[in-house]
Amino acid sequence: MIWAVVMFIPGLDLLGMIAVMLPLWSLHDLGMHGLGEPNNGFFVPTQFGYTLGGFLIWLAWFLLLLVVQKPLKKGGKGGSRG
């Protein structure tokens, strides 16, 4: 739902499209077909492509959170004890 609201903000919808399009286009160039097709300088994902793109974005956020939380917990900050 948050993604749908963000897509209404001019400029951010383009960034969202690029965040999904570029990884899928790279995978397509590496030989993983069925994710979509290049069309006039853009990459038009299929339903499977959108699903895989969403998973890749989720994975990136998840790994980023793991990297950020480790130093916070190690330094004694964060957590319920504060």
Side-chain angles (χ1 to χ4, degrees):
M1 185 172 103
I2 294 172
W3 185 259
V5 172
V6 168
M7 294 298 279
F8 285 112
I9 300 171
L12 290 180
D13 58 343
L14 184 61
L15 293 175
M17 188 175 85
I18 290 171
V20 172
M21 183 176 60
L22 289 180
L24 293 179
W25 204 336
S26 299
L27 289 173
H28 178 76
D29 287 343
L30 291 175
M32 189 173 180
H33 299 284
L35 301 174
E37 292 298 323
N39 185 11
N40 294 330
F42 288 96
F43 188 79
V44 182
T46 60
Q47 189 62 36
F48 177 68
Y50 275 116
T51 303
L52 185 63
F55 174 75
L56 292 174
I57 292 171
W58 175 86
L59 184 64
W61 279 109
F62 179 74
L63 293 175
L64 182 68
L65 277 172
L66 285 178
V67 169
V68 169
Q69 283 183 353
K70 279 190 177 185
L72 290 178
K73 287 185 179 180
K74 192 175 187 180
K77 297 179 181 175
S80 60
R81 296 181 193 174

